[in-house]
Amino acid sequence: RMGRHYRSAVKLYMGFGMRQQAVELALKVDPALARELARQSDDKDERKRLWLMIARSAAANGSLGDGKDVVARVVSVLKDCGPDVLSIEDVLPFLPDFAQIDQFKDEICNALASYSSKIENHLKEMSECDQTCDALREELSRLQNVGIHVNPDARCAFTNKLVIDSGEPFYAFPSGYVVLESALEQEIFPHLNEKQRARVELIESELKRLRQSSNNRNRAAYDVAKDNFEIDELQNELDGLIAAECPLTGLIMVESIDRGFLDDGDGD
């Protein structure tokens, strides 16, 4: 009669989504039901936690007999839950100190085989990473020696102004396009997210302040060098935000494929 009450309580726990409490209660009256409830869990972490509870309970119930009974009960739990949930090292704390290795040697062999396979996979991944790193080093070394030639009559791809005579910085892309900094920023800015836009505005403000400060000839050499270093760092960050790719051949152009060739109000 008491067992029926426990089973009713287990159903209530499951109805409220309290699987762990249901398993704890089921272990007191029906260990098979507890194992069934643990198998039904879809959460990997929860499933492992439940099976550890079951293994601990099995070891505790078998401790009244000899050590062989404890090992047999725990090994039975390992076989029921499967190798993807628990391994031999997970249940070792539940085994008695005097347990002989022969009693669970098959599980130990399976664990060692699994470790060996994982080690081989990790070694393979490390080898692939080494090859990728070598390829990146070669590419970086090659790019250090790559230069882009800009003709004296080169014009900005957006404003059609001569970049040499513009008096402002410009970017030359491997695609062959040359773009003035102001025009590039105006083109790229709408495609940046809110955080990136705020960062661009902050960098420009800091660059303006530092460059004005560097024009002061009465400043100490250390302060000038410090400002120049900050200017280089900020300029590199700005370059990464607005000039990471060519605006006419990169991802931005691909994403704007649905835009018309002419703005509203333009002629035919």
Side-chain angles (χ1 to χ4, degrees), residues 55-56 59 67-75 78 88-101 103-104 108:
R56 185 184 298 108
K68 292 183 179 179
D69 188 38
V70 174
V71 173
R73 287 173 176 269
V74 173
V75 169
L78 278 179
I88 185 64
E89 66 267 25
D90 293 323
V91 299
L92 281 178
F94 308 144
L95 299 178
D97 296 336
F98 52 83
Q100 296 181 359
I101 194 173
Q103 297 176 256
F104 46 91
I108 293 179

Side-chain angles (χ1 to χ4, degrees), residues 210-221:
L210 290 171
R211 284 166 178 162
Q212 289 177 348
S213 178
S214 63
N215 293 329
N216 186 354
R217 298 182 179 181
N218 296 325
R219 302 178 69 234

Side-chain angles (χ1 to χ4, degrees), residues 49 57 91 135 148 175 222 245:
R49 186 169 58 253
S57 175
V91 299
I148 299 177
S175 59
Y222 171 79
E245 61 180 7

Side-chain angles (χ1 to χ4, degrees), residues 139-174:
E139 182 68 12
L140 289 173
S141 178
R142 184 186 67 82
L143 291 175
Q144 288 178 351
N145 300 321
V146 172
I148 299 177
H149 178 73
V150 178
N151 295 325
D153 58 347
R155 293 180 177 273
C156 174
F158 294 115
T159 64
N160 203 34
K161 294 180 180 179
L162 289 171
V163 296
I164 301 298
D165 300 333
S166 64
E168 69 170 292
F170 62 87
Y171 294 89
F173 295 95

Side-chain angles (χ1 to χ4, degrees), residues 171-204:
Y171 294 89
F173 295 95
S175 59
Y177 289 105
V178 182
V179 184
L180 292 172
E181 183 179 62
S182 58
L184 179 63
E185 181 180 337
Q186 184 178 357
E187 179 69 21
I188 297 297
F189 201 79
H191 298 278
L192 301 177
N193 58 44
E194 184 176 352
K195 183 177 179 180
Q196 290 172 327
R197 293 177 186 177
R199 186 58 184 167
V200 168
E201 292 175 349
L202 179 61
I203 290 175
E204 290 183 332

Side-chain angles (χ1 to χ4, degrees), residues 19-92:
R19 187 180 299 274
Q20 181 173 337
Q21 289 81 354
V23 171
E24 289 177 352
L25 189 58
L27 286 172
K28 298 179 180 180
V29 292
D30 190 352
L33 175 60
R35 299 188 184 196
E36 183 63 28
L37 295 175
R39 291 191 192 97
Q40 294 173 2
S41 175
D42 296 328
D43 185 83
K44 183 178 179 180
D45 293 335
E46 181 189 51
R47 190 161 60 247
K48 181 175 183 177
R49 186 169 58 253
L50 295 177
W51 279 106
L52 281 174
M53 290 171 45
I54 295 172
R56 185 184 298 108
S57 175
N61 292 333
S63 61
L64 300 177
D66 57 6
K68 292 183 179 179
D69 188 38
V70 174
V71 173
R73 287 173 176 269
V74 173
V75 169
S76 172
V77 173
L78 278 179
K79 292 180 179 179
D80 280 356
C81 70
D84 296 335
V85 181
L86 294 182
S87 58
I88 185 64
E89 66 267 25
D90 293 323
V91 299
L92 281 178

